[in-house]
Amino acid sequence: MKIKENLSLIKSRIPESVVLVAVSKTKSNKLIMEAYNSGHRVFGENKVQEMVLKWETLPKDIEWHMIGHVQRNKVKYMAPFVSLIHGVDSLKLLIEINKQAKKNDRTINCLLQVNIAKEETKQGFNVIELDLVFKKLQSLENIQIKGLMGMATFTNDNSLIESEFKLLKSKFDLLKLNNKKFDVLSMGMSGDYKSAIIIGSTMIRVGSKIFGERN
Ligand SMILES: *Cc1c(COP(=O)(O)O)cnc(C)c1O
């Protein structure tokens, strides 16, 4: 696998302002170190235990992003080091993240996951709930909501994907009006990051186009 080449190809295709999260879930430390040695520092995992193991063994200047669904009882394990939690999908989870952040004497950056897809299986707040959630958030002092995250429907229908990304982008723009710290819109994966960036993504999560297909 030509990890270094894959990374530089993707980086050459995206604006410098867009953050590339290299999704390393299921991939070995050896492969992650190949990306690291080519200069990459931002990695995404979808399982807390796997991310903790990698954090313990790999260089400490790696920025670890949790991109998967998070169970509340696992938050404590990543609270000391996680740099951004993308998949926040309930107030109860936010309250737990706030509690664990306080214990670690830090602020944890979070994105609210929005359910923009037609599929039943996708996690996240629905677009209408978001405003309410936002109001309730003000009392949580050890979390910082940096923006939104969403996943499009898994389909070949580009017009559907684009309409879902546009919905997320418009919600992001609205919330941003009242939130100066709101500057991350996490959307786009290996198959759809180009459309996502055209529509306004500021952060893409790319796995298989860097590390190869997962088993
Ligand atoms: C696995 C995963 C990705 C990366 O998917 P690829 O298609 O391999 O780029 C991005 N986002 C989330 C939430 C994921 O779970």
Side-chain angles (χ1 to χ4, degrees):
M1 188 50 52
K2 306 184 295 285
I3 290 171
K4 189 178 171 194
E5 287 81 355
N6 294 345
L7 272 168
S8 55
L9 183 64
I10 295 168
K11 284 178 183 172
S12 74
R13 285 178 174 158
I14 67 176
E16 255 179 66
S17 56
V18 171
V19 176
L20 170 61
V21 179
V23 176
S24 49
K25 61 190 186 197
T26 77
K27 300 296 176 180
S28 66
N29 284 358
K30 183 168 171 283
L31 296 181
I32 296 172
M33 281 310 291
E34 263 186 59
Y36 181 90
N37 288 331
S38 80
H40 200 76
R41 292 294 180 273
V42 184
F43 294 88
E45 291 284 332
N46 72 336
K47 295 211 168 68
V48 173
Q49 264 115 332
E50 186 177 342
M51 185 172 77
V52 169
L53 266 176
K54 288 172 174 173
W55 169 71
E56 283 170 346
T57 45
L58 289 164
K60 288 295 180 285
D61 61 342
I62 289 179
E63 227 183 77
W64 290 104
H65 290 212
M66 173 44 58
I67 62 169
H69 178 67
V70 177
Q71 288 169 288
R72 270 180 288 154
N73 61 356
K74 304 265 172 67
V75 173
K76 56 179 176 286
Y77 304 114
M78 64 175 165
F81 69 91
V82 66
S83 97
L84 182 64
I85 302 177
H86 291 233
V88 177
D89 60 358
S90 76
L91 261 177
K92 282 181 170 172
L93 177 59
L94 273 172
I95 289 164
E96 177 64 15
I97 295 170
N98 187 60
K99 179 177 149 193
Q100 297 300 334
K102 194 171 281 178
K103 275 193 189 167
N104 285 275
D105 196 24
R106 63 186 295 246
T107 298
I108 295 183
N109 294 320
C110 297
L111 304 179
L112 300 179
Q113 182 169 356
V114 186
N115 190 346
I116 51 172
K118 296 278 173 291
E119 295 153 294
E120 293 288 317
T121 52
K122 292 274 189 332
Q123 320 269 355
F125 294 103
N126 68 49
V127 178
I128 298 151
E129 281 175 313
L130 275 181
D131 298 309
L132 198 68
V133 172
F134 243 85
K135 293 213 177 74
K136 292 191 180 164
L137 281 179
Q138 310 309 330
S139 61
L140 302 175
E141 291 174 342
N142 289 67
I143 55 175
Q144 181 67 59
I145 306 294
K146 299 287 288 177
L148 302 180
M149 181 270 221
M151 271 192 277
T153 301
F154 187 70
T155 173
N156 288 324
D157 179 354
N158 282 324
S159 66
L160 178 60
I161 293 174
E162 285 172 16
S163 69
E164 292 172 351
F165 282 161
K166 282 175 187 162
L167 173 67
L168 187 61
K169 164 71 171 156
S170 65
K171 200 64 203 175
F172 175 76
D173 287 341
L174 275 178
L175 290 169
K176 195 173 158 64
L177 292 175
N178 297 316
N179 298 276
K180 294 278 163 319
K181 303 241 168 86
F182 224 66
D183 58 5
V184 179
L185 180 55
S186 167
M187 64 180 193
M189 319 189 351
S190 287
D192 54 21
Y193 74 85
K194 288 174 203 151
S195 328
I197 288 173
I198 292 168
I199 293 164
S201 169
T202 71
M203 186 175 277
I204 57 175
R205 310 175 308 271
V206 179
S208 43
K209 282 265 166 75
I210 297 171
F211 295 105
E213 296 298 327
R214 290 174 296 273
N215 298 323

